[in-house]
Amino acid sequence: MERFPGHRSLDRRRHWDPVTAAVVTARVAGPRPPLRLFSPAEEACARALLNRLLDDPPVDLLPMIDARLAERETDGWHYADLPPDDRAWPETMRALDEDARALPGRTAFAELTGRQQTGLVEKVRRAHRWHGWPARHVWSLWTRYACTAYYSHPNAWDEIGFGGPAFPSGYARLGIGRREPWEVADAHPRAPDAQKPDPPPLPAVTDPARHSEAKAALATLRQTTRRQRAVRRRNASAWLLPPGGLGFDRQLLDRMRMFHDEDEVDLVIVGCGAGGSMLAQRMARAGWSVVVLEAGPFWDPLRDWVSDEYGSHHLYWTEPRVLAGRDPVPMGSNNSGRGVGGSMVHFAGYTPRFHPSDFETYSRDGVGVDWPLDYSDLREPYRRLEAELPVAGQYWPWGEPHAYPHPPHPVGGNGEVFLRGAAALGIEARVGPVAISNGRFGRRPHCVYRGFCLQGCKVNAKASPLITHLPDALAHGVEIRADAMAAAVELGPDGLACGVRYLRGGREHLQRARTVAVAGYAIETPRLLLNSTGKRFPHGLCNDHDQVGRYVMVQGAPQTSGRFDQEIRMYKAPPPEVSTEAFYETDPAKPYRRGFTIQNISPLPITWAEHVVAQGHWGPQLRQYLSDYVHWATLGAMAELLPQPGNRVTLAEEKDRHGLPVAHFAYSQCDNDRRLIAAARGVMEALLAAAGASEVITIDRYAHLVGGCRMATRPEDGVVDRDLRSFAVPNLLITDGSVLPTQGAANPALTIMALVDRAASVLAAGARSGLRTPAEAS
């Protein structure tokens, strides 16, 4: 029976922005072109498999999958023990047919009965190995593509009550049980035979976060009433957007200063994400000539971004990478970006500070490593950046207590569930902090709560370097050279960096520079250095002590969902609304060191489907769970997993379309990691149960990459010093998240930018008297 009678997503097409409407319409309209990748036998097997995985969906899914594979529009990675996706799909179809022919009827998989097909598929799901491959990796391949194909279609949105694209309208009615006038109520809201789970025991709250409420209120008042004039004087980006605040001012690009490869600029930066953009803007303000090389395109939010989950796939890094280790880490929307603005283009907006303890985990807790600087070194950069992004939130009582420049945003149904559960258990939770303007900021508009933060903010309310620092950088003479893939850092006869070789327009170039900064993030920065070999560095640039690529970290990010009879509609409002750092610090009574944070998150339909599949549900069960989509609330943790030397980036034998060896990333958890993740899961399950959830499900996942070229006091222990200057090549800096020695239990974006802000100040103040001084001062 229809759950949302009368709900038709496409009926609202006239209310969508033209770019989003065109993308969704193209997905559903017209005849499909002939398949390009699958043979007739493979096609028949794949169609039958998709029908079993999604219980005979009313949509032909194979053409989208075939087109993605033929165009190599993959997720940007594959497991080391499985072929690349465009080979793995046909090969696994042939293997499935082989299993079918081993049955008494000796016929193809597509000719089996539905019951027989289900039996073979379930056998794969439960197996350890299947035809020589890890069965769980094959299962991941099939279900990722199947869920994307179906739950990106308006027919599926209608089935689950999803509001679909919400720009420019956004959502005005936030909260449990509240619907927009055009949203349809669930005709059958109650879950059958649901039993409320008993909450598991909680770990101790390790940071009671006591503070004076009067002092907190005064600090907040001072911050939120501060004039924006001081921000504009040091970074006018918010005032350099077009009138109305939407899109990007093309005049800035038309007037962009242009350099020649032969020009020896003061600074060339590889990568235009959080670190690269920050460095470019700061050094341009200091009078340096700067060129930024970015492998991806220069985005225009209005033209290039859409309010559509799958239509935003191009924002993620989709070049090939090879994953290995006992606990391989998938790449994608929560850890890899592509294009000007980097992964902050599609980060959730969550911008907490690190705690003072994060900088001395070895001294305090006997794990990890101490940083070569401490919290006090970043205090002022944190304050500057919270004003520039700007950050909105309640007074923050954890770590070093502080206020934020913008007041907190209103809370949606997902956040209300979190607050309800936290209140029942006596856990302190706060609204924020998010780098989303609450009210106008310069020309930037207010958030419209459309819920697509992870797909690029078309509103320009959420911070990303594209709008927070690059307009000012362009106005001060920076050239951003998009679609330029860095191949190697070049050294001169004196052993100093003299430029960067890059590929653009089918040709190889060398941009000369007096100083080089690499800001490609935790996978691509080590890859670039390892690909930059020569007589002095036969094993990779700056790799004298085999430190390049080591100690890559991710956060354990288990995701827990609870089902409620009321409609939550978690897709409305920004994904991270409410959070707690009550479990951030080490609890001496527990069998693990360090801690975790919790925030509410808001998976859109494709991601939610992957969550349900990861729980073991497929076929009719998957469709049933997804039809309940509007009733689920979801929490996510960020658990601080420890740095280990064997978790590293090396070079694979496989090469990319430029002929460059791709990154091979091996990752395995230690026992402390597993205990910490289990503790975070327990708290989230308790929170949802205390809020009244009738069912709770949890999956394990990862978020946020850091490390790989870490800061250290000695070159034997790391790649760069406390000022982000490499030990081996004095005029080579690394200015991204790869320099973090530990990762905290916080989104790293703000800390990356703060480190680079500090390093830029040091560079601007002292580099003119050192190696490779800028040309103007020569």
Side-chain angles (χ1 to χ4, degrees):
M1 187 176 293
E2 193 174 11
R3 293 286 295 272
F4 302 92
H7 177 51
R8 298 293 178 266
S9 305
L10 287 176
D11 289 349
R12 288 192 55 79
R13 183 165 29 186
R14 67 184 183 277
H15 299 287
W16 303 343
D17 68 282
V19 180
T20 300
V23 166
V24 176
T25 300
R27 190 178 300 151
V28 302
R32 298 293 185 185
L35 300 186
R36 290 179 282 171
L37 190 79
F38 293 91
S39 70
E42 294 160 358
E43 174 187 348
C45 183
R47 289 188 185 281
L49 171 65
L50 293 168
N51 283 340
R52 294 283 68 75
L53 290 175
L54 283 155
D55 191 31
D56 297 313
V59 175
D60 186 5
L61 307 181
L62 192 58
M64 174 191 275
I65 295 173
D66 177 80
R68 286 186 63 190
L69 296 172
E71 298 294 334
R72 303 202 75 178
E73 292 180 0
T74 67
D75 293 325
W77 55 272
H78 69 87
Y79 293 111
D81 45 24
L82 207 62
D85 294 359
D86 59 324
R87 285 176 37 209
W89 261 95
E91 288 185 27
T92 57
M93 293 305 94
R94 294 194 293 271
L96 198 53
D97 266 342
E98 185 179 327
D99 282 4
R101 291 191 175 94
L103 297 177
R106 293 187 173 277
T107 189
F109 181 79
E111 302 302 321
L112 298 176
T113 65
R115 184 174 181 178
Q116 288 174 313
Q117 291 174 348
T118 297
L120 287 183
V121 173
E122 180 66 9
K123 182 180 177 182
V124 176
R125 190 184 75 82
R126 292 182 175 277
H128 176 64
R129 296 193 69 82
W130 182 70
H131 288 268
W133 300 301
R136 63 191 177 98
H137 293 171
V138 175
W139 185 252
S140 167
L141 174 81
W142 291 350
T143 54
R144 276 186 290 120
Y145 279 82
C147 288
T148 298
Y150 185 51
Y151 288 102
S152 65
H153 198 284
N155 281 29
W157 302 344
D158 298 342
E159 185 178 287
I160 67 177
F162 174 53
F167 181 77
S169 62
Y171 294 110
R173 300 185 179 185
L174 309 180
I176 295 174
R178 301 193 68 195
R179 290 186 293 272
E180 311 298 322
W182 46 270
E183 290 181 309
V184 176
D186 184 1
H188 305 279
R190 292 195 174 276
D193 304 322
Q195 297 294 321
K196 182 178 177 180
D198 293 327
L202 289 175
V205 175
T206 59
D207 185 347
R210 296 189 180 93
H211 59 277
S212 162
E213 291 187 8
K215 184 178 178 181
L218 181 59
T220 298
L221 183 64
R222 285 172 176 166
Q223 283 277 358
T224 56
T225 57
R226 186 169 293 171
R227 292 180 181 271
Q228 300 174 1
R229 192 178 302 147
V231 174
R232 186 172 184 175
R233 279 198 297 266
R234 68 175 179 266
N235 177 9
S237 291
W239 291 264
L240 293 170
L241 296 173
L246 300 180
F248 196 90
D249 190 345
R250 301 297 301 180
Q251 293 185 44
L252 287 172
L253 293 179
D254 295 339
R255 296 194 301 260
M256 181 171 66
R257 185 178 180 184
M258 306 289 284
F259 297 93
H260 298 289
D261 288 336
E262 303 78 33
D263 296 332
E264 189 181 49
V265 297
D266 295 329
L267 175 64
V268 62
I269 303 170
V270 177
C272 204
S277 301
M278 166 67 63
L279 184 65
Q281 188 264 341
R282 295 304 202 238
M283 299 316 296
R285 282 261 177 171
W288 288 39
S289 56
V290 181
V291 171
V292 184
L293 305 175
E294 167 56 48
F298 200 115
W299 303 118
D300 183 312
L302 280 181
R303 182 191 64 203
D304 299 320
W305 300 349
V306 293
S307 293
D308 180 77
E309 193 175 6
Y310 177 65
S312 303
H313 189 259
H314 61 296
L315 300 180
Y316 317 138
W317 185 274
T318 55
E319 296 288 332
R321 289 162 171 169
V322 180
L323 306 183
R326 292 194 307 273
D327 305 284
V329 178
M331 303 286 106
S333 59
N334 66 347
N335 55 28
S336 293
R338 170 180 175 269
V340 174
S343 58
M344 276 189 75
V345 160
H346 58 80
F347 89 134
Y350 188 50
T351 42
R353 300 181 186 183
F354 277 18
H355 287 203
S357 67
D358 287 316
F359 299 85
E360 46 188 22
T361 63
Y362 186 77
S363 295
R364 291 191 184 212
D365 300 319
V367 295
V369 65
D370 291 350
W371 294 38
L373 45 73
D374 59 30
Y375 179 89
S376 65
D377 291 303
L378 296 187
R379 181 180 289 113
E380 288 307 314
Y382 276 146
R383 288 174 179 166
R384 283 194 291 270
L385 287 161
E386 286 165 351
E388 291 177 42
L389 292 177
V391 179
Q394 289 180 296
Y395 184 86
W396 207 246
W398 298 286
E400 180 180 69
H402 58 279
Y404 288 108
H406 275 217
H409 288 271
V411 171
N414 213 7
E416 286 185 11
V417 166
F418 190 167
L419 291 171
R420 179 195 293 172
L425 296 175
I427 297 172
E428 186 161 11
R430 292 296 175 100
V431 181
V434 291
I436 301 172
S437 52
N438 190 354
R440 290 193 70 87
F441 179 70
R443 289 181 170 177
R444 282 170 57 188
H446 194 291
C447 179
V448 299
Y449 308 117
R450 62 194 256 282
F452 283 87
C453 298
L454 296 174
Q455 287 70 38
C457 180
K458 289 183 73 73
V459 185
N460 278 349
K462 189 195 75 175
S464 81
L466 183 66
I467 60 168
T468 62
H469 288 85
L470 290 176
D472 191 78
L474 290 169
H476 284 82
V478 170
E479 180 190 352
I480 299 170
R481 206 170 291 169
D483 301 305
M485 177 68 184
V489 176
E490 288 289 303
L491 302 185
D494 55 3
L496 298 175
C498 63
V500 176
R501 277 195 295 115
Y502 68 97
L503 302 158
R504 194 187 198 203
R507 293 178 53 228
E508 184 175 272
H509 303 257
L510 172 63
Q511 175 61 60
R512 300 177 66 239
R514 302 176 70 81
T515 306
V516 174
V518 180
Y521 206 30
I523 303 296
E524 294 304 309
T525 287
R527 178 193 176 201
L528 177 63
L529 297 182
L530 294 172
N531 272 323
S532 301
T533 57
K535 185 176 180 180
R536 166 69 180 84
F537 296 102
H539 304 296
L541 190 59
C542 303
N543 203 24
D544 288 328
H545 301 283
D546 194 26
Q547 290 293 311
V548 172
R550 290 194 181 274
Y551 299 103
V552 177
M553 293 165 280
V554 293
Q555 285 161 338
Q559 184 171 292
T560 301
S561 296
R563 202 237 185 237
F564 298 82
D565 285 344
Q566 296 167 292
E567 293 181 13
I568 307 301
R569 297 189 180 265
M570 60 182 169
Y571 55 84
K572 298 162 86 165
E577 299 176 280
V578 178
S579 52
T580 182
E581 291 183 353
F583 307 96
Y584 196 106
E585 306 290 349
T586 293
D587 177 359
K590 294 299 176 183
Y592 53 80
R593 302 279 77 85
R594 305 305 295 157
F596 54 89
T597 59
I598 297 172
Q599 58 191 246
N600 64 265
I601 58 176
S602 306
L604 293 173
I606 295 172
T607 308
W608 170 241
E610 292 173 351
H611 181 139
V612 173
V613 166
Q615 193 70 22
H617 303 297
W618 61 284
Q621 279 190 323
L622 172 62
R623 293 278 292 281
Q624 176 60 42
Y625 268 93
L626 264 293
S627 70
D628 263 357
Y629 176 62
V630 301
H631 294 280
W632 288 83
T634 303
L635 305 179
M638 288 191 291
E640 181 180 350
L641 308 190
L642 298 178
Q644 301 178 74
N647 289 341
R648 67 182 304 188
V649 172
T650 55
L651 297 180
E653 294 183 5
E654 183 179 337
K655 295 186 177 181
D656 66 9
R657 57 192 171 91
H658 303 291
L660 302 172
V662 306
H664 179 284
F665 176 32
Y667 188 84
S668 301
Q669 295 177 15
C670 66
D671 289 342
N672 193 83
D673 296 341
R674 299 182 195 284
R675 295 188 190 108
L676 190 57
I677 290 171
R681 290 176 59 140
V683 173
M684 291 190 294
E685 289 168 1
L687 280 164
L688 289 170
S694 59
E695 180 182 2
V696 173
I697 59 176
T698 301
I699 64 166
D700 287 328
R701 54 192 288 278
Y702 296 108
H704 307 132
L705 287 160
V706 296
C709 293
R710 69 177 179 174
M711 284 188 290
T713 304
R714 309 183 311 150
E716 293 82 2
D717 301 322
V719 180
V720 299
D721 65 15
R722 70 198 307 268
D723 299 327
L724 310 190
R725 191 188 296 270
S726 68
F727 290 114
V729 181
N731 69 328
L732 173 67
L733 292 89
I734 299 176
T735 56
D736 59 26
S738 69
V739 304
L740 270 63
T742 58
Q743 63 173 337
N747 184 306
L750 184 68
T751 297
I752 292 168
M753 299 180 86
L755 285 168
V756 177
D757 175 84
R758 178 187 174 278
S761 299
V762 172
L763 192 62
R768 291 176 183 272
S769 60
L771 289 164
R772 296 291 193 187
T773 59
E776 295 92 332
S778 299

